[in-house]
Amino acid sequence: KIHFKIKNINSTTRKSLISYILSNPYSIYLNETIGGFDFEPEFNVTSIAQLRSIIENMRIDFSESIRDFDVLLYYKTYKLFTYLPIIRV
């Protein structure tokens, strides 16, 4: 997952950035947030090199729009299952 802070963005650049992220074959989903970071795309990659390549390409293509970013690495995802029984009154 990558958290992006965006600067100087207009609607055209915003649409272009969203399209760019969603067209990436490693993209799983994209959150657009209010406050803190502006975009939180998540990519499912097999190596750090793939992730670095994605970040480098985004920084080149959107150099005027990306102010800062943070990377969160998840090495294993656990499925959380919650079972709540039906309570009849």
Side-chain angles (χ1 to χ4, degrees), residues 54-68:
I54 292 169
I55 293 170
E56 286 175 14
N57 290 335
M58 288 183 70
R59 292 186 72 192
I60 290 168
D61 294 341
F62 297 97
S63 60
E64 70 284 348
S65 300
I66 295 175
R67 179 175 47 177
D68 192 17

Side-chain angles (χ1 to χ4, degrees), residues 22-33:
L22 295 179
S23 68
N24 187 299
Y26 299 106
S27 174
I28 297 174
Y29 69 86
L30 170 65
N31 289 329
E32 189 172 1
T33 61

Side-chain angles (χ1 to χ4, degrees), residues 2 4 18 41 56 58 70 84:
I2 307 169
F4 285 106
I18 290 171
E56 286 175 14
M58 288 183 70
D70 284 340
L84 297 175

Side-chain angles (χ1 to χ4, degrees), residues 1-3 29 31 40-43 51 70-74:
K1 183 181 249 188
I2 307 169
H3 292 166
Y29 69 86
N31 289 329
E40 297 177 353
E42 186 166 332
F43 299 95
L51 184 61
D70 284 340
V71 177
L72 298 142
L73 297 176
Y74 299 98

Side-chain angles (χ1 to χ4, degrees), residues 79-83:
K79 183 176 180 180
L80 186 63
F81 180 76
T82 304
Y83 174 72

